[in-house]
Amino acid sequence: MNDETTDLTTGLVIGDDGLARPPWAARDPLLRDYYDTEWGMPVRDEQGLFERLSLEAFQSGLSWATILRKRPAFRAAFAGFDPDLVAAYDESDVERLLADPGIVRNRRKIEATVTNARATVALRAEGGLAELIWSHRPAVTPAPRSHAEVPTTSPESVALSKALKRQGFTFVGPTTAFALMEAVGVVDTHLVGSHRRGSSGVWS
């Protein structure tokens, strides 16, 4: 039985629990749980940020649902996204991962994950990945009232992309950087009216 309704002005879907969510998070149970419990909540630890950065890179050109369903396999393939362990991967590991049906078998993205692990380890000498990412928090977060108003980049995501590339990271364009900032709470792009708006505690 489907008891949901859609607000035609904002596009928010009111679920059978009475809570408002964007369409992408309203129907698929996996995406709904991710939206309700994780997306947009602050992540400030190196390993957690390396994982999100890696998954956002793998998501490029694909749906987030695809990546989320493969997340357990990604974690197994990349040693729980421990940067030190992934940084030690060599060509034999790349070949092994290219044969792993559980993940996205894209050589450039796999090699980028290894490269980014090494960059993450090297960045510790300059304050670390968390400091770099969170230093690009804007003074004001967006306040979109509909999906059409949700930005896909920002001046800060452009700057973060450039800063990451200077440190040796790859597959970190401005759109990927912005998606990362959304996912880990650096910005809050929950729609005004969503039950999750302001829930991160970063933005009152």
Side-chain angles (χ1 to χ4, degrees), residues 42 50 60 72 82 84-85 114 131 158 160-161 170 177 180:
F50 174 61
S60 179
D82 181 316
D84 290 295
L85 296 178
V114 177
E131 181 176 307
V158 172
L160 175 57
S161 171
T170 62
L180 174 68

Side-chain angles (χ1 to χ4, degrees), residues 28-48:
D28 184 314
L30 184 67
L31 288 173
R32 181 164 152 165
D33 181 66
Y34 173 69
Y35 181 80
D36 284 353
T37 63
E38 183 175 354
W39 189 71
M41 295 303 287
V43 178
R44 299 181 186 273
D45 66 290
E46 180 190 78
Q47 191 163 332

Side-chain angles (χ1 to χ4, degrees), residues 2-201:
N2 190 342
D3 294 324
E4 68 183 30
T5 59
T6 301
D7 184 315
L8 297 180
T9 301
T10 65
L12 284 166
V13 178
I14 312 302
D16 53 12
D17 55 3
L19 300 178
R21 301 176 181 86
W24 70 264
R27 297 177 179 93
D28 184 314
L30 184 67
L31 288 173
R32 181 164 152 165
D33 181 66
Y34 173 69
Y35 181 80
D36 284 353
T37 63
E38 183 175 354
W39 189 71
M41 295 303 287
V43 178
R44 299 181 186 273
D45 66 290
E46 180 190 78
Q47 191 163 332
L49 287 168
F50 174 61
E51 175 183 352
R52 302 322 192 278
L53 179 67
S54 301
L55 293 179
E56 293 293 349
F58 271 104
Q59 187 269 331
S60 179
L62 302 171
S63 74
W64 181 243
T66 296
I67 301 303
L68 205 55
R69 287 191 175 87
K70 291 178 176 288
R71 191 182 196 179
F74 273 115
R75 285 175 166 170
F78 287 100
F81 290 99
D82 181 316
D84 290 295
L85 296 178
V86 179
Y89 281 14
D90 58 19
E91 183 58 31
S92 66
D93 291 296
V94 172
E95 294 301 324
R96 169 178 59 82
L97 293 173
L98 283 168
D100 186 340
I103 67 169
V104 175
R105 291 180 284 183
N106 179 299
R107 178 180 289 275
R108 289 181 62 223
K109 293 178 179 180
I110 290 169
E111 290 176 343
T113 304
V114 177
T115 295
N116 292 347
R118 293 169 183 164
T120 297
V121 172
L123 190 57
R124 291 171 187 163
E126 298 183 39
L129 183 61
E131 181 176 307
L132 177 61
I133 291 172
W134 279 90
S135 71
H136 288 80
R137 176 186 165 189
V140 179
T141 195
R145 295 184 177 276
S146 68
H147 178 72
E149 293 182 8
V150 179
T152 56
T153 63
S154 68
E156 292 80 16
S157 81
V158 172
L160 175 57
S161 171
K162 290 178 179 177
L164 287 166
K165 288 176 180 177
R166 282 195 299 270
Q167 297 294 338
F169 289 81
T170 62
F171 261 92
V172 286
T175 302
T176 297
F178 191 78
L180 174 68
M181 293 166 76
E182 291 179 290
V184 303
V186 177
V187 295
D188 183 351
T189 58
H190 289 289
L191 298 185
V192 174
S194 163
H195 83 99
R196 295 287 288 158
R197 180 74 189 175
S199 59
S200 70

